[in-house]
Amino acid sequence: MRIPTRGVKVTVASGERRPMSPVSRWLVIGLAWILASATVLVGSRYAVSAWVRDPGATPATALDARSFGDASAAPVDRAVAGSTRLIPVRPQVLLDSRKVGSLPAGVDVTVPMPETAAGAGVVLVEISILAAKGPGEVTVGQGTDRTVVLRAPRAGAQLSATVVARLAPDGDLRASTTGGGDLLVRLVGVFEPAQRSDAGRIVAVPPARVVTLVPRTDGKKASVALSDVRQLADAGPISAVILRVSADVGSKGGRVSAGTRAGDLNQTVYWSATSGSDRTRNGLIVVPVRDGSVHLRYEAGTEMRADLVGYVTGTGAPESTEGLVVPVPPHSPEPVRATEQSDVEISLGTTDSLANVPVDRIAAALLTVTATGDAEGGVKVGGKPTLTASKGVARSALTLVETPQARVRVQSAVAATMAVTPHALVLTG
């Protein structure tokens, strides 16, 4: 027989006639409720588990609100094809034609390279033309991969540039001079392939003045204690500093030398003599660091200034992809016309010319700005004075500057034709 129990049906065996006591009836009702609730709970947990493990769902990350894992897990760095680290070396002279006689105009030379790390096909070198025999260009590379690195305006000129140079298939460097003169080539760094590294990552910083030297009152020498530079307070281990130097050059020509000790200044930027109001010249030096200081010496002129624009991490720094460098194949950028007192935003190039590096991964760049002015006037890159444009003469300067979205702002005091040529892209993380 069936006995109604407020919605819960209980079947009594045939022949059973004993009525169920109130206590037993409520026990049965409670047990049934517990079993039903447990079934719902287990089913819900199974459904959630199945949703979390759905192989078609987007994988959760430490920054994803859907993550059911350890929210403190570090994000994974994204590797970029062609990335390298810059390993500064003790500056080493590879070629000094003054020891064998000046080079004739139009000559091509092979510069033997010391043994470098396996796979290293790009180097950082200082190249100078001294006592030029006539106006002309100094190039590195060969065939269609030639890059103009110096332009001598006249006979007797001397000037220098720090250059990101690609090696020939045989591992040596090719260079040429169309005007002739003495060629000086010095190795200062090697770009080694790397997908992640502690040492050799480049960090660009807002330019900070670290030296102002007036020889008449201060003498010719200056030193920089890196511990006193605020921008380096949290930098950690450093293998080199990147300095942009500028000077009021004298009527006989001048030079700035740098090194790790006052008695070992093994890098030099040369400038030709100047006259009139066109007296300021610029250069970039990557100076290895040892014992926590760098030293400078200035010859000729009335004032020399040095700004810190970046540094290279050393062994023991945090490992990361941020600050790794992708050298850019040589290419000729489209010139941009700037009006007087203009502020122009210039693209670094196309995806193809930027070695297929995604725009959002480019934090900064080692780049050359070239300007041919309609008159004489200053040119700023990233808001900082970088070179002086000359009327009808192309002048160039290498700098390290932040380039958000692969673009850079260039300001010109005079109407000028300008070009921006990236040589190496510094990656974000």
Side-chain angles (χ1 to χ4, degrees), residues 109-122:
V109 295
T110 296
V111 183
M113 297 293 299
E115 184 176 351
T116 58
V122 183

Side-chain angles (χ1 to χ4, degrees), residues 99-110:
K99 297 180 178 179
V100 296
S102 63
L103 301 175
V107 70
D108 293 331
V109 295
T110 296

Side-chain angles (χ1 to χ4, degrees), residues 264-287:
D264 187 22
L265 304 181
N266 48 23
Q267 296 174 258
T268 302
V269 173
Y270 295 90
W271 292 306
S272 294
T274 61
S275 61
S277 60
D278 184 18
R279 296 176 58 89
T280 301
R281 297 294 182 269
N282 304 272
L284 194 77
I285 313 178
V286 180
V287 189

Side-chain angles (χ1 to χ4, degrees), residues 60-71:
T61 68
L63 301 180
D64 193 331
R66 296 174 298 172
S67 174
F68 283 78
D70 181 7

Side-chain angles (χ1 to χ4, degrees), residues 162 207 242 244 283-284 309 364-369 381-382 384-386 397-402 408 421 423-424:
T162 299
I242 305 174
R244 185 169 62 209
L284 194 77
V309 295
L366 280 166
L367 54 83
T368 295
V369 176
V381 179
K384 298 298 180 180
T386 304
L398 178 74
T399 189
L400 172 66
V401 63
E402 294 181 341
V408 63
T421 307
H423 305 291

